[in-house]
Amino acid sequence: MSKQQRWNKIIELCKLQNNINVSELVISLGVSEATIRRDLSQMEELNMINRFYGGAKLNQLQYDEPPMLIKTSTNSNEKKQIARLAANMIKDNQMIYIDAGSTTYEMLNYITAKNITVTTIGVPHMNKLVQMKINTIVLGGNLHWQTEAITGNQALKQLEDLYFDVAFIGVNGIHEQVGLTTSNEQEASVKRMAIEHAHISYALADSSKFNILNAAKFSNLNQVTIISDAIEDFDLNKIKYLLTTSIK
């Protein structure tokens, strides 16, 4: 079991039990106590968990994922500007991947390119694309109700045969030391493959997503260009980015 897999499992167990002790983790993960203590120490440094004597619990601020309905109304003005800039990146005749998420959904309102094909896992996105009469490929799989996204092995299997000119990816957290993360491992797997299969990938993230870390990593910083309204307290030398202030 890799470190990433152990960390995902630790987060999972903390969510199920509120908190968990070291001896339980040793049994569940089948590794030494020293390995568990080292994992917990590193996870605490990254603000993923809070440690207490003999165990750990989640840093809840990092992992509460609001439903899509709530996310849509959060930072709405910033998201509209990000969405508008993202849509400007689409050219005529391109093959596009558009991820699930409130900001990627918003960008559909600004698409003007002609003769494009969009692949998506976002359930609300599908309805909107039908209304817009845009040629659409819908991936099948398991519905993650909170984010209204289709994930799982079936979606990944379909993605294996698809390649994109441009991919637009939703993100929950961007961390200087780790990269881009989300709260759900199945969604992370889809995001990861979409990025690998795209010539260019953009991550859409309002300023609140920086210096936040979730359990499931899907991309290194250098694999995407980040589109944001503002980037504060972050080493800009580590990322490629576009800001909405560039919109005339």
Side-chain angles (χ1 to χ4, degrees), residues 78-89:
E78 292 85 351
K79 287 178 178 178
K80 285 177 182 176
Q81 292 301 307
I82 293 166
R84 182 180 163 199
L85 180 53
N88 286 343
M89 301 298 113

Side-chain angles (χ1 to χ4, degrees), residues 85 202 210 224-228 231 235-243:
L85 180 53
Y202 295 97
F210 289 87
V224 300
T225 296
I226 298 165
I227 300 180
S228 185
I231 304 172
D235 186 352
L236 297 181
N237 292 317
K238 292 187 174 181
I239 56 175
K240 296 174 285 185
Y241 62 94
L242 295 170
L243 295 180

Side-chain angles (χ1 to χ4, degrees), residues 31 39 49 51 66 74 79-80 89 110 118 122 128 131 141 155 161 181 192 206 224 226 229 237 242 246:
V31 295
D39 283 344
I49 59 162
R51 294 176 73 188
T74 305
K79 287 178 178 178
K80 285 177 182 176
M89 301 298 113
Y110 300 98
V118 173
K128 181 76 171 178
Q131 293 168 18
D161 298 323
T181 60
R192 193 177 299 120
D206 65 74
V224 300
I226 298 165
D229 58 301
N237 292 317
L242 295 170
S246 66

Side-chain angles (χ1 to χ4, degrees), residues 52-215:
F52 56 84
Y53 183 76
K57 62 181 180 179
L58 285 184
N59 179 344
Q60 205 61 48
L61 290 176
Q62 300 277 24
Y63 295 99
D64 284 340
E65 169 120 25
M68 175 75 166
L69 185 63
I70 294 174
K71 289 201 290 185
T72 301
S73 62
T74 305
N75 298 327
S76 58
N77 289 333
E78 292 85 351
K79 287 178 178 178
K80 285 177 182 176
Q81 292 301 307
I82 293 166
R84 182 180 163 199
L85 180 53
N88 286 343
M89 301 298 113
I90 302 175
K91 309 303 178 190
D92 293 350
N93 308 310
Q94 286 188 323
M95 181 79 167
I96 308 296
Y97 176 82
I98 298 181
D99 201 15
S102 55
T103 310
T104 56
Y105 177 79
E106 185 66 38
M107 73 177 283
L108 300 179
N109 293 315
Y110 300 98
I111 293 176
T112 58
K114 307 298 182 186
N115 193 36
I116 63 171
T117 298
V118 173
T119 297
T120 190
I121 60 168
V123 175
H125 301 52
M126 299 170 194
N127 294 327
K128 181 76 171 178
L129 288 161
V130 167
Q131 293 168 18
M132 296 172 70
K133 296 181 171 59
I134 290 177
N135 188 37
T136 303
I137 297 172
V138 175
L139 301 185
N142 303 321
L143 174 63
H144 185 218
W145 67 266
Q146 228 167 350
T147 56
E148 298 183 26
I150 303 294
T151 64
N153 291 333
Q154 188 177 338
L156 289 172
K157 213 162 192 180
Q158 285 178 268
L159 264 181
E160 285 178 359
D161 298 323
L162 296 171
Y163 290 85
F164 311 102
D165 294 296
V166 192
F168 298 91
I169 308 295
V171 57
N172 292 71
I174 302 174
H175 195 281
E176 281 187 16
Q177 297 177 45
V178 177
L180 280 66
T181 60
T182 189
S183 60
N184 180 279
E185 179 57 44
Q186 286 194 324
E187 284 195 47
S189 297
V190 174
K191 293 174 192 288
R192 193 177 299 120
M193 186 176 289
I195 290 170
E196 290 171 356
H197 284 215
H199 180 62
I200 301 171
S201 296
Y202 295 97
L204 279 54
D206 65 74
S207 57
S208 69
K209 304 293 176 64
F210 289 87
N211 302 306
I212 296 294
L213 183 64
N214 280 255

